[in-house]
Amino acid sequence: MAKGNKDRGLCEVYQDDPDRADKLVFGREAHKDRRGFLRGAGLATMGAMLGATIPFHRNFPAGLIPSALADDSEVALFKVKDGLTLLNDRPINAETPPHLLDDSVTPNDRHFVRNNGVVPDIAYRMDASDWKLTVDGEVDTPLEFSLDELKNKFENVTLKLQVECGGNGRAAFNPPAKGNQWTLGAIGNAEWTGVRYADVLKAAGVKESAIYTAHYSLDGHLSGKPDKLPISRGVPLAKAMEPHSIIAFAMNGEPIPPLHGFPVRTICPGWPGSTSQKWLQRIELRNVVHDGPKMTGTSYRAPYYPVAPGTKVDKADFKIIESMPVKSLITTPQTNQAITGRSLALRGHAWAGDNSVSRVDISHDFGATWTRADLSAPPNPFSWQDWTAEISFPEKGYYEIWARATDDKGNSQPFAINWNPKGYLNNSMHRIAVTVRA
Ligand SMILES: Nc1nc2c(c(=O)[nH]1)N[C@H]1C(S)=C(S)[C@@H](COP(=O)(O)O)O[C@H]1N2
Ligand SMILES: [Mo]
């Protein structure tokens, strides 16, 4: 079913042109007064195809192909994800609702997924016996490692590390920015095990001329062209040499799941998730800033000065995004809850890219007054930090709870969105709604 369209996911096609999408799914013209397939005649047709009615059809994400019908293996892989919102099915892009990010360490099946291309075969097979990692370019001795060699030659480290997509929060941009419409949940903080990126580079011998790394992987381009890469990014040498940048082979104690990069990926924590290259097969050291797909143009770049919403910015004024900004989430309670009683326990996390978080403040009166939350130290640098707070309400009614984190350099989260043309870096405060009934 999902293979009806080669280039774009059905979610995307349903958004742009539901009639055309229906035609792709059902192989015939859509009914005139119908938009999307899970209403009216579309719902009936889908029910007939499944051989059953769909009691919760109102919850069915727009454009999602029921698992029972999906013959697309990527969508089948996605089935293991627990409660995530699918934004696109080709490539797979899915985010985690904030209340499902409550754990200090994000479980594998609750970690968001951002793919630019097609999951490679090796990841489906979960068999790395014919896999090698090559390290070459501006090194004294190019090296190759099997998975066992990589694990055995270098000290193994286990760290809790934040990975956040550069476009997390894009959905709130006005005027809108093209790309995945992430709301809040393109962030995860799993426990990764691997070897230090620096140790691997040192083994090959870093030449004086090396200034940037380049990551090459095994995922396929959406066009199906074998010589085209969906994404190949890298980091300045200093970030690669930072002791918390790792080449990971396990996620929460298990081999990295297929959607997250089996057998090996980089984790360059605190930087746009795109620097954490999945399905890695080669690291090249370069004497220039890497120029692979999604390194150039305006990809993962923002103007180096603030711009008003809607401004057209000259390409030359964009710079590569490095550290992600300070940010926080309220993970308990879920937004839009009704409570009884006058007090409420809150919980969440805060993180700040290369920096650490020094405080989190909570407001229940639209920012007029703030209460300092109880903030935990990070278990290791580049992990998010947990916080808790207790809020008291003066009377019944509708409240919003806002969270604002401040990092150790004095940066805090803004209320308004710092708009930029490509929709990156939105670190505006997280707000949830609570109704106090009595
Ligand atoms: N090979 C490869 N690596 C990749 C990507 C990709 O499409 N292909 N997407 C990147 C982006 S944009 C992000 S945000 C992170 C997401 O990692 P996750 O899917 O494990 O959450 O992976 C990065 N690494
Ligand atoms: Mo990303």
Side-chain angles (χ1 to χ4, degrees):
M1 288 268 121
K3 291 196 175 118
N5 179 347
K6 287 274 178 287
D7 300 321
R8 309 166 68 211
L10 276 167
C11 291
E12 199 186 341
V13 181
Y14 264 103
Q15 253 166 29
D16 292 0
D17 187 349
D19 289 335
R20 196 170 94 75
D22 273 342
K23 208 179 155 202
L24 283 169
V25 172
F26 298 108
R28 57 170 175 71
E29 288 300 337
H31 201 270
K32 253 207 216 111
D33 57 9
R34 181 156 57 85
R35 285 291 174 272
F37 63 77
L38 282 182
R39 252 181 257 157
L43 179 58
T45 311
M46 189 58 85
M49 290 170 80
L50 288 167
T53 56
I54 309 172
F56 292 113
H57 67 86
R58 279 186 189 80
N59 303 340
F60 202 89
L64 182 65
I65 307 299
S67 298
L69 298 178
D71 64 359
D72 184 289
S73 34
E74 293 201 3
V75 175
L77 271 183
F78 175 74
K79 278 199 290 186
V80 300
K81 288 283 174 180
D82 177 15
L84 268 67
T85 312
L86 191 66
L87 301 182
N88 195 355
D89 55 12
R90 186 181 168 79
I92 296 271
N93 285 288
E95 67 173 329
T96 318
H99 69 282
L100 296 183
L101 286 171
D102 198 44
D103 303 280
S104 300
V105 178
T106 310
N108 291 354
D109 58 3
R110 290 191 172 174
H111 198 284
F112 80 100
V113 182
R114 194 319 187 214
N115 289 350
N116 289 265
V118 181
V119 176
D121 281 346
I122 188 173
Y124 288 113
R125 287 189 277 113
M126 296 283 281
D127 170 12
S129 52
D130 56 357
W131 174 90
K132 289 254 188 238
L133 176 68
T134 304
V135 181
D136 62 9
E138 305 295 314
V139 295
D140 298 329
T141 322
L143 295 176
E144 255 191 10
F145 303 97
S146 68
L147 186 54
D148 282 342
E149 285 166 347
L150 195 70
K151 288 179 178 174
N152 296 330
K153 283 207 164 126
F154 304 102
E155 187 189 342
N156 290 190
V157 290
T158 296
L159 296 165
K160 300 174 175 101
L161 300 171
Q162 7 132 2
V163 174
E164 181 177 22
C165 184
N168 194 21
R170 179 181 290 131
F173 274 57
N174 185 23
K178 279 206 192 112
N180 283 298
Q181 296 300 301
W182 304 110
T183 63
L184 297 151
I187 168 79
N189 193 68
E191 186 177 78
W192 298 94
T193 301
V195 298
R196 289 189 194 91
Y197 201 150
D199 291 348
V200 175
L201 295 185
K202 282 180 202 156
V206 178
K207 283 193 174 161
E208 283 280 315
S209 49
I211 64 159
Y212 222 90
T213 73
H215 305 145
Y216 301 94
S217 350
L218 293 159
D219 44 342
H221 195 266
L222 289 177
S223 66
K225 290 184 182 150
D227 51 336
K228 274 187 109 177
L229 298 176
I231 187 167
S232 169
R233 304 201 71 229
V235 291
L237 186 62
K239 179 66 179 172
M241 298 305 274
E242 210 286 336
H244 302 90
S245 292
I246 63 170
I247 299 174
F249 50 75
M251 181 179 188
N252 293 320
E254 288 169 24
I256 299 178
L259 288 172
H260 294 291
F262 179 91
V264 153
R265 72 180 298 177
T266 61
I267 299 285
C268 297
W271 284 34
S274 53
T275 60
S276 293
Q277 188 102 9
K278 305 191 274 190
W279 312 294
L280 188 70
Q281 63 161 338
R282 177 180 170 215
I283 297 171
E284 182 194 14
L285 286 189
R286 302 201 58 181
N287 58 9
V288 291
V289 175
H290 183 44
D291 54 2
K294 310 243 159 143
M295 273 305 309
T296 58
T298 56
S299 291
Y300 302 105
R301 292 179 190 223
Y304 64 81
Y305 48 84
V307 300
T311 308
K312 279 229 171 347
V313 181
D314 195 73
K315 268 204 178 126
D317 290 353
F318 282 76
K319 72 164 204 272
I320 299 173
I321 298 167
E322 299 196 330
S323 176
M324 292 292 285
V326 61
K327 202 163 169 179
S328 58
L329 271 182
I330 303 163
T331 57
T332 295
Q334 185 175 1
T335 190
N336 284 318
Q337 301 292 299
I339 62 154
T340 50
R342 288 289 177 273
S343 79
L344 179 62
L346 304 169
R347 247 192 343 250
H349 317 289
W351 60 97
D354 283 344
N355 302 327
S356 65
V357 178
S358 46
R359 61 187 291 160
V360 172
D361 296 279
I362 305 295
S363 179
H364 67 306
D365 53 11
F366 306 100
T369 63
W370 294 89
T371 307
R372 191 162 182 168
D374 214 336
L375 175 70
S376 304
N380 54 254
F382 298 93
S383 166
W384 70 18
Q385 296 168 239
D386 298 336
W387 59 263
T388 57
E390 188 88 20
I391 285 281
S392 300
F393 301 103
E395 56 195 313
K396 68 178 185 183
Y398 171 83
Y399 295 86
E400 282 191 15
I401 302 183
W402 298 0
R404 184 185 68 195
T406 303
D407 71 16
D408 59 351
K409 303 281 183 312
N411 305 299
S412 320
Q413 293 181 255
F415 177 77
I417 293 160
N418 34 357
W419 190 94
N420 58 81
K422 298 294 297 282
Y424 297 122
L425 299 168
N426 175 9
N427 69 331
S428 57
M429 293 177 215
H430 185 201
R431 297 157 56 191
I432 66 163
V434 174
T435 302
V436 179
R437 279 267 159 73

